[in-house]
Amino acid sequence: MAAKRPTKRISQHFKVTGDQSTFEFVDVALHTDSPFFLDPRAFRNLRSDWGETCVSLLQSFFDAVLGRIGDGDHSGARQLLGSLSEPNETHLGLSRGRPAGRGMGKGLAEVMWEALNGSDAATTGLLQDLEDTVLFIDGIGHDRVSDITTNIVRRPLIEFTQDAAHFYGIKLVKDVASARCWNSSLQKWEVQYADLPTTKTGPLLLVPKCLVRRRPTFDPGEYLDHHILPILQEEELSAGGALVEVLKDGRRRVTKKSVAEKYGRSKSLARKVTIEHPDILQQYRSQSGSRRQPPSHYELADTLDVEPPDWTKLLATVLDTPSGAADADKYHRAVQALLAAILYPSLVNPKREFEIHDGRKRIDITFTNEDQRGFFAWVHNKVVHAPYVFVECKNYGADLANPEIDQLTGRFSNARGQLGIVCCRSFQKRKRWDARCKDTATDGRGYVLTLSDDDLETLVKERMTTSTPWDFALLRTQLEKLLT
């Protein structure tokens, strides 16, 4: 038996400090593919400009393909589809062993075009988004949709890769010829040269871990079981046909099993029933946000065969850092790593020393608020505009004072948001500092939360013990005091 090939990941190849819990990208193995997929529906949950760009690209490409089919421009539709290929740069998917680059090519482009062109799902307007094809088009599964998605949003993924490379110190190679990128303005594919990390297998595209899924948001089996078959059960019950069973207590029923045996479980059935009852698809779409969440730390660790977060080690790195200006950068990096792990997936994409006002001001760490159900979602939706959350790190041996509040609130704006966190070591007079934060909130200058070393220990304990890691009870308590 051949020896098992050792796994070498992006972080190991480029000697990146940290682990999967602190990285914003999926730390995939380089010699094979990891069984995660890009879910186009996940992009719709993003509040950032980057996310909106991705959604716009996805929609414009799909509209372009359907538009050409609708206009009878079959050659144009085939040409658009024919530029798609398997994106080996991400190392995501179901390939066994080393990625083979099977590509879509003319064969699959023709198959997909025929499926779209010949399907009443396209001609009736049933298809609105790329992910709809998983539900209604034979031969299209979530792996194909993931591949297509990666092709279409390749240019934003290049930008993410470059930002992550700068953040984590990953070497970039100048002017690498990437695969084609979709130009939504010109409605065509373009070859792009970009600075990218490369290995022996070729260029790499890093993928945000908050956008990958093990299972897609749109699942044809789930759609059939919970939306299509119940409609048919009701119809059979109303018709009083042979599938109706009379129970001992006189109640009548039609089982889902008997309906599936009569009608089958095909995508053509899903198309037919959905065309007759379009509301069920709208309901399914509206529920999509809560149906699949970003993978947890533990799902990532299990799927990628890496270690889960070592909360004790992450916290100890912060606590063991001496206070004072000499170790300010070490403290800054340790806090960033700890918070990136604790706050994921509510806050993502930390940018260290983020510049604003043409570089005249810097914010120690800027997180993008992508929370959909927890504390930071509540803040953004109910309390104050907070698309970003700003963090300042103060490795002082003395108490903080007004200048530290003014420095952070000076970063706030109507566009960027008005929520920030100050991380510091300890307090002699915490009540005085809390009163200053309260005054700032009362004056309408924004909300400043505070994380001392003791507070960070509390956050870690919460994260290790709670089943709802998005609640952040400590932060909620602090903010509620500022609101009362």
Side-chain angles (χ1 to χ4, degrees):
M1 179 181 294
K4 183 178 179 181
R5 186 173 182 175
T7 298
K8 193 167 190 179
R9 305 192 174 278
I10 292 174
S11 60
Q12 296 167 324
H13 181 83
F14 291 101
K15 297 180 173 59
V16 180
T17 301
D19 57 43
Q20 182 62 83
S21 69
T22 65
F23 299 148
E24 284 306 297
F25 59 90
V26 185
D27 192 20
V28 296
L30 296 175
H31 69 277
T32 187
D33 283 347
S34 298
F36 278 116
F37 304 91
L38 262 184
D39 185 346
R41 204 72 188 175
F43 288 90
R44 299 181 185 278
N45 294 330
L46 301 181
R47 297 191 185 96
S48 61
D49 293 340
W50 186 88
E52 291 178 2
T53 297
C54 292
V55 172
S56 178
L57 287 169
L58 290 164
Q59 196 64 63
S60 71
F61 175 78
F62 197 59
D63 287 347
V65 172
L66 291 182
R68 282 162 173 73
I69 291 175
D71 293 340
D73 182 8
H74 305 310
S75 175
R78 290 191 189 100
Q79 186 177 24
L80 291 182
L81 295 170
S83 293
L84 299 168
S85 61
E86 180 181 298
N88 293 330
E89 312 103 302
T90 64
H91 293 269
L92 299 176
L94 294 174
S95 296
R96 293 180 177 274
R98 189 170 180 173
R102 62 182 183 273
M104 295 186 78
K106 290 185 178 179
L108 182 55
E110 190 75 15
V111 169
M112 188 170 184
W113 170 78
E114 288 177 353
L116 290 172
N117 183 50
S119 172
D120 49 5
T123 57
T124 59
L126 186 62
L127 296 179
Q128 295 182 15
D129 305 309
L130 174 61
E131 54 268 35
D132 295 340
T133 60
V134 173
L135 302 179
F136 303 118
I137 303 299
D138 293 321
I140 302 299
H142 62 280
D143 55 338
R144 283 301 181 194
V145 169
S146 176
D147 286 352
I148 295 169
T149 299
T150 305
N151 277 270
I152 299 169
V153 301
R154 180 173 277 110
R155 186 172 279 121
L157 287 178
I158 289 173
E159 294 172 2
F160 172 82
T161 299
Q162 291 170 339
D163 287 345
H166 291 307
F167 187 87
Y168 294 105
I170 296 174
K171 181 181 177 181
L172 297 174
V173 176
K174 291 283 188 180
D175 297 326
V176 175
S178 73
R180 292 173 180 266
C181 296
W182 175 245
N183 185 319
S184 58
S185 298
L186 300 177
Q187 297 281 285
K188 69 176 187 179
W189 293 96
E190 297 176 331
V191 175
Q192 177 167 338
Y193 292 84
D195 299 347
L196 289 171
T198 63
T199 68
K200 291 181 180 179
T201 62
L204 284 176
L205 281 180
L206 306 184
V207 177
K209 64 185 180 184
C210 66
L211 292 177
V212 298
R213 302 290 188 271
R214 285 294 305 271
R215 293 179 59 200
T217 303
F218 279 20
D219 184 299
E222 181 182 76
Y223 185 63
L224 279 163
D225 285 338
H226 301 300
H227 295 266
I228 300 300
L229 295 183
I231 291 287
L232 297 176
Q233 283 178 278
E234 289 298 324
E235 291 181 352
E236 288 287 337
L237 189 61
S238 297
L243 299 187
V244 177
E245 300 176 359
V246 180
L247 303 179
K248 291 181 179 180
D249 60 5
R251 287 184 297 116
R252 299 161 68 249
R253 74 172 184 181
V254 174
T255 66
K256 192 175 293 184
K257 179 181 178 182
S258 65
V259 170
E261 289 174 349
K262 177 178 178 179
Y263 292 96
R265 298 176 53 83
S266 67
K267 290 186 178 182
S268 61
L269 175 66
R271 292 196 300 269
K272 177 180 180 298
V273 175
T274 305
I275 290 170
E276 295 171 353
H277 304 274
D279 288 349
I280 61 175
L281 180 56
Q282 295 306 319
Q283 181 185 26
Y284 188 72
R285 287 189 177 119
S286 68
Q287 296 171 352
S288 64
S290 60
R291 195 159 46 244
R292 300 282 185 270
Q293 296 295 325
S296 69
H297 287 308
Y298 300 97
E299 184 179 0
L300 285 161
D302 182 64
T303 304
L304 299 172
D305 194 22
V306 298
E307 292 298 319
D310 187 338
W311 299 111
T312 302
K313 180 179 178 181
L314 287 168
L315 176 63
T317 304
V318 175
L319 301 184
D320 293 345
T321 301
S323 60
D327 290 288
D329 185 68
K330 182 179 179 182
Y331 172 72
H332 186 171
R333 292 178 182 275
V335 168
Q336 181 270 315
L338 177 60
L339 290 184
I342 289 178
L343 300 177
Y344 171 82
S346 299
L347 303 186
V348 300
N349 194 25
K351 292 189 176 182
R352 191 166 180 263
E353 295 185 343
F354 182 75
E355 293 184 354
I356 60 173
H357 298 162
D358 297 323
R360 293 187 297 276
K361 290 184 179 180
R362 289 175 177 268
I363 303 167
D364 283 355
I365 309 169
T366 303
F367 285 93
T368 302
N369 183 0
E370 301 293 7
D371 193 11
Q372 300 296 318
R373 55 180 172 173
F375 167 74
F376 290 101
W378 170 68
V379 173
H380 181 72
N381 295 326
K382 302 294 185 180
V383 180
V384 69
H385 187 57
Y388 300 97
V389 177
F390 310 110
V391 178
E392 291 288 341
C393 301
K394 304 300 179 185
N395 195 35
Y396 299 169
D399 279 11
L400 305 181
N402 283 334
E404 284 71 42
I405 292 182
D406 294 340
Q407 181 187 25
L408 182 55
T409 58
R411 275 60 171 161
F412 296 166
S413 75
N414 291 334
R416 292 187 295 272
Q418 295 182 307
L419 178 66
I421 299 172
V422 173
C423 293
C424 62
R425 308 314 303 265
S426 63
F427 285 97
Q428 294 296 321
K429 299 177 179 179
R430 177 67 182 259
K431 289 184 178 179
R432 178 181 295 180
W433 168 259
D434 289 343
R436 287 171 169 150
C437 294
K438 172 74 172 183
D439 292 341
T440 299
T442 302
D443 292 343
R445 294 191 290 125
Y447 297 90
V448 177
L449 307 179
T450 309
L451 294 175
S452 65
D453 283 359
D454 289 343
D455 293 324
L456 288 174
E457 287 192 74
T458 300
L459 272 185
V460 169
K461 289 178 182 177
E462 285 181 2
R463 197 66 159 85
M464 293 174 68
T465 58
T466 183
S467 60
T468 55
W470 49 84
D471 281 344
F472 301 109
L474 172 66
L475 298 180
R476 184 180 289 268
T477 299
Q478 282 195 20
L479 185 58
E480 286 174 344
K481 288 180 180 179
L482 300 179
L483 294 171
T484 55

